[in-house]
Amino acid sequence: MSQKLLIKLILILLYLIILYYNKFNGISDSYKNLLSNRSFNTHFIVIVLGTRSETVKMIPILRELKNNKKFFCLTINIAPKLKYINEILDSFNISNYIDIELNILRNNQPIYEMTSKIILELNKLFLLIHPDALIVQGDTTTSFAAALSAFYQNIKVFHIEPDSLYSFFKEKFNRRAIDDIAELFFTSSELDANYLLTKNKNPNNIFVTGNTIVDTLKLVFNNTSHSNYIQWLLKESKKRCKSGAGCKIILLTCQRRANFINTISNFLKAVQKLLENINDIIIIIPFNLNPIFREYIRIALPEEAFNDIINNKVINNKKYFYFSRLLLIKPLNFMDFIHLQSLSFFIMTDSLEIQEECISIGKPVLILREKIESLEDAISGSTIIVGIESENIYNYAKLLLKNETLYNQMSKKNNIYDSRNSSKMIVNLIEKYFNNKLSDSYNNYQNFLNKLNYSQIISKFDYSIHNPVNNFEYDLVIVLTVWKRNNLDRQLTQIKRQTILKNKKTNIIVFQNSNHINVEDIISKWENLEEFNGLVKITFIKSPIDTGYFGRFLSPFTSSVTSNSYFIICDDDVIWGDRYFENMIRVVDEGFLATRTGRFINENFKEFFPAPIYEINLQVCFNEDIEYDFGGQIWAGRISWLRKAWTHIPLSIENSEDFWISATLKSFYNISTKTPKCPCPKGEIINPELCAASDKSAYHHDNGLIGNISVSHTIRTKLIKETSIKFNYNVLFWQ
């Protein structure tokens, strides 16, 4: 090789090195400065921030890591030009926590471009710094792309808020992908931890730590007070509201861009109707009035009042004077927004993050979405899913304003996310992980049972979290289970003939497990034909995954009920006479759980069916109610009983739901189980109106599924035995 050619190659190499160095000049300098302060024995952690939700929930984690001498924490902001991350950190006086800024994210950026840029830039960075671990939060594209970058560089990933039962929107892919990479999982609740077990995650690496949003809110309320702007907003609200100090603030937010464009007119129609008909409210809507959004709002509001509304002026037009109680305000910083939530009577929002904040603060939330996204939110008792139709939004808001009992139940602070210091727990667990001293993992189902207290959850569950509004509470909830047998149309036909429906307000819930069959046409047929009278409403709940045998026992809580309301839960392989439900409710009114196919337990804890009292032409019948240890196929009782049963969580969600409910009610509440009489006096034909029977399809039985895991029937006797012992159940056969 000639000397000239060698020199050229060296110059080219130097040029490339200079380019590479310039590309990472800021990174290298930042890292060198930080490295000089790093102790030799610290654990090197990286956190990447790209969204509001990540930043808000990671603030207490950052504080814990930065103040712990065992850790060296590098924080990366990938959206410095968008400003919202720095604004949030500034409000907590921790803007100095950002160590590196990468200008990756921009407004209206396609998700594929965002993902590829994050992976590309973080891969280069991780090659330079190679930390011990990356902590990611939730389901954002930032978290997914950062986790994938760490995976490519063999860096461990710790996931806060991993995959959960009801995170079934498109972001669920992000959670699942991160979980396939992650080493440690920090869940908000035992429900989520148990769900991870169904996904075959290592139980030794699952930890129930609560939700860090609770820690963030504590920082807000313990360290800040109302700003001048919030004080002005309160003063202005009081001035505009006829009721003065008694005026109720309703906060409405529309965070999702698709919602704003497609449904803002629906939201504003509901707002207009509320303001027109209710005088003691003021509605505040914060959002960015860019030209596009402004145009959608202009179309949705009366033309004569638009200019005054948009400029927050008192409306001079008498016809629309009530719009003076609508305040369209600029987007608030995080601190102000949290304080405004706490001052509001209730909140209407389409944002999951805001739902979590309101639940922890103790404010009712009307969710402007069609589907449930978080199981914890659903069972907190603080939320109602009202959908996006203006009439539903108006009716539910009016109900919450007028029904004091409902409001009081929904406005209690809820510890569904746990009230412990989640952030401190997470950091301590990570430290133990690096020191090989982890011992508090979610290592078996019994830990879940011992920790979980359903009483706080179920005690608040008196009102609907699902479908259409009715301004009354249901007397009866009937649950029809849909799995692999398609008997729904026949069962609805039989329900229509039930005598008890004539005088009871009834909610028929069709609860479908996963997507094994399609029953939506059947649902539509019955809704469109208006087969039932005005007292009956059909609600369709479709679980995105299989929930085994226990999911249906939670579904009655999704209806608008009281503690005295009745429930009837039906298998998909049973048929009944016209007065059978009336027969079951009679047994319930006498103080017993009503069921079918009664069974006893022998001395070895094995279940057995008794010999029939009478047999006429192979038809089993009996003229008196019979007490059994438990029964199956159909269960009837009061909502309060079902709520009580769930305060004693089952030993397993795989099997024995039938024995669990009977054992808990008898052992703890002295509510025994009986099968209603199916009368046929000797020599006479059986009266089918009061009876029920198994459908032919019952002979073809598939094992249930929890997620994609087949339910085991081999443990049934063992579960009956362990449940009997744990609940101190007094077996009838031994008496």
Side-chain angles (χ1 to χ4, degrees), residues 304-408:
E304 302 93 322
F306 173 72
N307 287 330
D308 287 339
I309 294 172
I310 212 74
N311 293 305
N312 279 324
K313 293 181 179 179
V314 174
I315 311 298
N316 294 320
N317 188 321
K318 291 184 178 180
K319 182 179 178 181
Y320 298 114
F321 180 73
Y322 53 82
F323 269 119
S324 298
R325 290 180 283 115
L326 172 63
L327 290 177
L328 304 180
I329 64 172
K330 64 181 182 181
L332 299 173
N333 64 45
F334 179 73
M335 295 288 191
D336 281 350
F337 188 70
I338 293 299
H339 282 296
L340 183 55
Q341 287 183 52
S342 70
L343 293 167
S344 299
F345 191 70
F346 64 83
I347 292 88
M348 301 190 291
T349 184
D350 61 355
S351 164
L352 173 61
E353 290 78 22
I354 294 173
Q355 294 169 41
E356 293 176 339
E357 292 160 7
C358 293
I359 288 171
S360 301
I361 293 171
K363 293 294 178 179
V365 186
L366 300 185
I367 302 173
L368 307 179
R369 288 192 179 199
E370 298 281 12
K371 296 179 180 179
I372 180 174
E373 181 165 346
S374 166
L375 184 59
E376 285 82 10
D377 291 357
I379 63 179
S380 69
S382 300
T383 64
I384 302 176
I385 294 182
V386 301
I388 58 176
E389 298 301 324
S390 59
E391 195 64 23
N392 271 3
I393 297 169
Y394 169 76
N395 285 333
Y396 269 121
K398 182 180 177 183
L399 181 65
L400 199 51
L401 286 163
K402 300 298 184 182
N403 191 318
E404 186 176 353
T405 301
L406 169 60
Y407 181 81
N408 290 337

Side-chain angles (χ1 to χ4, degrees), residues 38 53 94 109 129 137 150 209 234 267 379 411 524 570 642:
R38 181 188 175 191
S53 61
I94 54 172
Q109 190 174 25
I129 64 176
Q137 193 280 331
T209 54
L234 287 174
F267 298 168
I379 63 179
S411 59
S524 298
C570 308
L642 193 57

Side-chain angles (χ1 to χ4, degrees), residues 368-586:
L368 307 179
R369 288 192 179 199
E370 298 281 12
K371 296 179 180 179
I372 180 174
E373 181 165 346
S374 166
L375 184 59
E376 285 82 10
D377 291 357
I379 63 179
S380 69
S382 300
T383 64
I384 302 176
I385 294 182
V386 301
I388 58 176
E389 298 301 324
S390 59
E391 195 64 23
N392 271 3
I393 297 169
Y394 169 76
N395 285 333
Y396 269 121
K398 182 180 177 183
L399 181 65
L400 199 51
L401 286 163
K402 300 298 184 182
N403 191 318
E404 186 176 353
T405 301
L406 169 60
Y407 181 81
N408 290 337
Q409 287 181 334
M410 291 182 65
S411 59
K412 296 175 183 176
K413 286 188 179 181
N414 198 297
N415 288 332
I416 183 67
Y417 298 123
D418 206 321
S419 58
R420 296 171 290 179
N421 189 327
S422 300
S423 305
K424 192 175 188 66
M425 288 177 63
I426 290 170
V427 171
N428 287 342
L429 287 166
I430 292 173
E431 183 179 346
K432 288 181 179 180
Y433 169 83
F434 283 119
N435 295 331
N436 296 313
K437 292 182 179 180
L438 280 178
S439 60
D440 302 323
S441 62
Y442 192 83
N443 55 14
N444 58 52
Y445 194 80
Q446 194 60 45
N447 285 351
F448 165 62
L449 303 175
N450 292 337
K451 291 178 183 177
L452 183 58
N453 180 0
Y454 261 68
S455 59
Q456 290 182 340
I457 300 171
I458 304 302
S459 64
K460 299 188 177 203
F461 220 137
D462 265 346
Y463 290 85
S464 171
I465 61 167
H466 273 278
N467 267 14
V469 65
N470 287 281
N471 290 325
F472 54 73
E473 297 147 346
Y474 291 109
D475 303 311
L476 171 64
V477 179
I478 301 171
V479 178
L480 299 181
T481 308
V482 175
W483 192 44
K484 292 184 177 181
R485 302 184 182 102
N486 198 348
N487 295 330
L488 179 60
D489 192 57
R490 180 167 54 186
Q491 287 190 325
L492 286 169
T493 300
Q494 292 170 331
I495 289 178
K496 181 188 174 184
R497 295 198 295 258
Q498 291 298 310
T499 54
I500 199 168
L501 266 60
K502 292 179 181 178
N503 59 2
K504 292 197 182 298
K505 292 170 286 188
T506 303
N507 186 199
I508 300 173
I509 296 176
V510 179
F511 179 76
Q512 180 170 4
N513 267 312
S514 195
N515 298 303
H516 300 287
I517 60 175
N518 188 345
V519 296
E520 293 182 9
D521 288 344
I522 298 174
I523 300 292
S524 298
K525 165 193 164 183
W526 281 85
E527 288 179 335
N528 294 335
L529 291 177
E530 299 181 352
E531 293 284 352
F532 295 105
N533 60 39
L535 296 177
V536 179
K537 185 69 185 180
I538 297 178
T539 302
F540 182 35
I541 301 176
K542 187 175 182 180
S543 171
I545 67 165
D546 283 291
T547 62
Y549 301 118
F550 279 87
R552 54 191 170 170
F553 283 89
L554 280 169
S555 58
F557 299 129
T558 67
S559 184
S560 182
V561 293
T562 68
S563 294
N564 289 324
S565 300
Y566 301 98
F567 71 85
I568 299 177
I569 300 172
C570 308
D571 274 355
D572 58 0
D573 58 356
V574 63
I575 54 178
W576 45 79
D578 296 353
R579 295 177 58 200
Y580 185 66
F581 287 2
E582 174 189 328
N583 198 15
M584 296 195 85
I585 296 302
R586 174 189 58 79

Side-chain angles (χ1 to χ4, degrees), residues 245-302:
C247 191
K248 301 179 181 72
I249 294 175
I250 299 174
L251 175 61
L252 187 152
T253 77
C254 187
Q255 305 273 98
R256 304 175 79 200
R257 183 179 180 86
N259 257 10
F260 194 99
I261 293 174
N262 297 325
T263 61
I264 187 63
S265 62
N266 285 351
F267 298 168
L268 290 178
K269 283 178 185 176
V271 165
Q272 181 173 357
K273 194 170 181 179
L274 284 167
L275 293 171
E276 191 174 5
N277 290 282
I278 303 173
N279 293 325
D280 63 341
I281 61 170
I282 187 160
I283 299 177
I284 300 176
I285 309 177
F287 55 80
N288 187 356
L289 277 178
N290 66 46
I292 297 175
F293 288 178
R294 182 188 177 98
E295 181 61 17
Y296 279 104
I297 292 171
R298 186 193 65 77
I299 295 171
L301 293 175

